[in-house]
Amino acid sequence: MSTKTTYTHRLVARVTIESQTPLAVGSGEKDITTDALVIKDFNGLPYIPGTAIAGILRHAIGEKTAKEFFGKHEEKSENSRGSEIIFSEAKMIGSDGKVIDGLHSIDFENNPFYAKFKELPIRQHAKITDKGITAKGGKFDEQVVYQGTRFDFEIEMVSEDNGKDKSPKKLDDFLCVLRELNSQTLRIGSGTRCGFGKIKVKNIVWRKFDLSNPNDLKDYINKSSDLSQPFSGDKFVEETSSDKWTTYELILQPEDFFLFGSGFGDDEVDMTPVKEETIDWDENDKPVFTKNNNDEFTKFVLIPATSLKGAIAHRTAYHYNRLKQRYVDGSNPDKTPKVGSESEVVRALFGYESQDERVQKRGSVIFNDVIQYILPDKILNHVSIDRFTGGAIDSALFDEKTTFGNGKSFKTEILVEKAAFNEDAAFKEAFETALKDIIDGLLPLGGGVNRGNGCFGGSVEEVNGTFNHKREVEKWKQQ
């Protein structure tokens, strides 16, 4: 039996977000240059589908609550219901500071800003085994959208009046969605546990339209669906906080050289460090790519979250085995060390894959890419020596560019879901000991660590917690 509902109100919000780390919103397509292309609109610019935004917010709110207004599908059709909330696509804000909605003629050739979006950055990934080598078939790459890119989108909810004072019945639900947009754990796109997708809400303007009011009805009818058109209303400033996550503040101070490889060489060396350009916003709220004194676009040092995550995951498994007295010497056959997805702590904190979608689990730890500083590179030459002759092995000469970062501090946050720690007290101890190893220089990061690269000091602190550890590199070198 169908029921008829008369919706008397419309709740509308215009939202502007900025990517705090690169975004990876995939199109499902690939080409000759990469395995995963970013989705682009008919103007050739990246955008975020409304389904991607709706999906993450539905998950953040919780399925039980979301069913009340996001809609639900059940076997019995009379129990199914459509969504009462609508999400538009998130369109990119262009070089003039205005949203690019509709069909435009984008000058990719002569406009320096748009030229950067013709070929987006490509990230290289490699799955590392517990032996420290690349897993077979574990090499892939993907496109990302620049850090600092801004997007605009709209959220609209239909509602009845509450029968008392004719205020919208769904107002609390609508405001709940807006609060979730300000959550520190909200991520958009893929790779959200590998450093991608962190956003910051720059502005939310919202308004409730009472369609029984002639003035509101007129304003709603005249409201354009074009995101480039102005929208007036009340500014939404509420934020949400969660006690479900533990936050660690990690400050990395390089001892000297480090190398997070780009996967490519150049005309000078065989191996170069990965660097990336970012978007800044000037005093007129217009996007610009940073340039150096030679009027060349500047690329900043990048510490990929995947490099940090992989090293911590393997070391956490090691410490968990140690705490559980699992040793490789076979002294206790009943306690064989577990690594990778076989390790309980790795499965609980970092997630695991499975052919059965019902048992796979995404990670409970969130990392962020670090893109910071313009630092010099140093070319280091290497050669493999024949131990018998003492001479160089034929074709074994190679060189690399490493980044010299002494005196700099790279700051990032690591978020851990408290529920994952609650499964076993040893999980937290193993994880925090792995973080201490980084600060003590016992767990180097990046490539060429066996050649002396990637040793860091600094500090790690559990925000609003008791755990903290510190090693200042300059003081340590003077000892």
Side-chain angles (χ1 to χ4, degrees), residues 132 255-262 269-273 378-385 396-403 444-455:
E255 289 186 8
D256 40 53
F257 298 102
F258 59 89
L259 173 64
F260 296 95
S262 66
V269 298
D270 302 301
M271 191 182 304
T272 59
K378 171 68 175 177
I379 297 178
L380 300 179
N381 300 300
H382 303 280
V383 62
S384 183
I385 301 298
L397 176 66
F398 71 99
D399 42 33
E400 63 187 5
K401 281 183 180 178
T402 59
T403 303
L445 305 172
V449 296
N450 293 328
R451 300 191 293 271
N453 294 332
C455 289

Side-chain angles (χ1 to χ4, degrees), residues 362-435:
R362 75 169 182 171
S364 298
V365 185
I366 299 178
F367 297 86
N368 298 315
D369 281 351
V370 182
I371 306 177
Q372 197 175 356
Y373 297 126
I374 303 169
L375 297 177
D377 296 328
K378 171 68 175 177
I379 297 178
L380 300 179
N381 300 300
H382 303 280
V383 62
S384 183
I385 301 298
D386 188 312
R387 295 186 179 181
F388 179 73
T389 65
I393 297 177
D394 188 34
S395 302
L397 176 66
F398 71 99
D399 42 33
E400 63 187 5
K401 281 183 180 178
T402 59
T403 303
F404 185 72
N406 183 251
K408 299 295 184 181
S409 295
F410 295 86
K411 182 178 178 180
T412 187
E413 286 185 341
I414 302 174
L415 305 176
V416 185
E417 204 166 3
K418 291 181 180 179
F421 279 157
N422 294 336
E423 294 181 29
D424 188 332
F427 288 176
K428 191 173 192 288
E429 183 178 352
F431 181 79
E432 291 179 344
T433 307
L435 296 180

Side-chain angles (χ1 to χ4, degrees), residues 132-234:
I133 59 176
T134 304
K136 185 177 181 181
K139 172 73 171 65
F140 69 99
D141 50 39
E142 61 184 330
Q143 270 188 346
V144 296
V145 181
Y146 296 101
Q147 175 181 303
T149 308
R150 288 184 184 176
F151 298 88
D152 252 33
F153 64 94
E154 262 188 8
I155 305 175
E156 181 173 344
M157 179 179 278
V158 295
S159 177
E160 311 165 66
D161 65 58
N162 64 12
K164 296 178 182 179
D165 55 2
K166 292 190 176 181
S167 63
K169 202 172 185 179
K170 294 290 183 179
L171 179 59
D172 289 343
D173 293 330
F174 185 73
L175 297 179
C176 176
V177 172
L178 299 187
R179 290 188 196 100
E180 284 298 331
L181 286 168
N182 283 306
S183 170
Q184 65 171 340
T185 60
L186 190 71
R187 299 293 188 274
I188 290 180
S190 64
T192 59
R193 295 300 184 266
C194 299
F196 296 155
K198 182 181 180 182
I199 64 166
K200 180 179 181 180
V201 174
K202 301 300 294 185
N203 190 41
I204 299 179
V205 176
W206 74 288
R207 181 176 173 183
K208 49 188 175 183
F209 294 91
D210 182 354
L211 302 188
S212 64
N213 182 306
N215 292 328
D216 278 8
L217 178 61
K218 181 180 178 181
D219 289 346
Y220 180 76
I221 292 174
N222 292 330
K223 186 188 78 69
S224 175
S225 61
D226 187 345
L227 294 171
S228 65
Q229 298 301 311
F231 176 77
S232 60
D234 298 324

